[in-house]
Amino acid sequence: MSNLQRTLAFYCKGLGFEVWFRSPDDDPFFALVGRDAAQIMLKDVGLVPMPNPSRHVDAPWDAFIYTETPESLSKDFTERGIVLNAPLLIRNDGLTGFEVADPDGYVCFFGHPD
């Protein structure tokens, strides 16, 4: 990621995650955020972000986050002002869910297998 504070704001204010850990205290570059059973590690080490979708068309997601209720979660996100990268749908590969792209273009799929 290119800016830890901006990314934390997106995940926490936009997606409802909480900061579970941040380090070091004086100038953090590493954080763990979580919501329910989902956890994401965020680390800013000064490299240009390279999300999977920018590398190859067959790698559309950087993370799969399991949720039994993608319908209510997508509604929660949109009510928080998040624009979905791909809408809630039942995919032809047997997954139901939706996509969200973070400020650096990393794409998370929130959903479950049917």
Side-chain angles (χ1 to χ4, degrees):
M1 95 196 52
S2 62
N3 181 304
L4 181 62
Q5 295 311 314
R6 179 188 67 182
T7 302
L8 285 173
F10 175 81
Y11 280 94
C12 294
K13 292 178 185 168
L15 302 184
F17 282 71
E18 297 176 349
V19 176
W20 289 352
F21 180 79
R22 186 180 350 211
S23 183
D25 290 336
D26 60 337
D27 188 19
F29 65 89
F30 175 78
L32 292 174
V33 296
R35 177 176 172 152
D36 302 321
Q39 299 178 45
I40 299 174
M41 178 183 77
L42 305 170
K43 196 170 189 181
D44 179 359
V45 292
L47 299 175
V48 174
M50 292 184 61
N52 283 345
S54 68
R55 295 188 218 194
H56 198 280
V57 68
D58 290 334
W61 305 328
D62 295 286
F64 177 96
I65 300 170
Y66 179 86
T67 177
E68 291 183 13
T69 58
E71 299 84 3
S72 63
L73 193 58
S74 66
K75 182 180 179 198
D76 177 45
F77 289 177
T78 56
E79 287 174 352
R80 292 170 177 267
I82 297 298
V83 176
L84 303 182
N85 195 51
L88 177 67
L89 54 86
I90 300 171
R91 297 167 39 96
N92 62 5
D93 60 3
L95 298 173
T96 297
F98 62 95
E99 297 177 8
V100 172
D102 79 6
D104 285 311
Y106 290 105
V107 177
C108 299
F109 179 85
F110 292 84
H112 62 78
D114 291 333

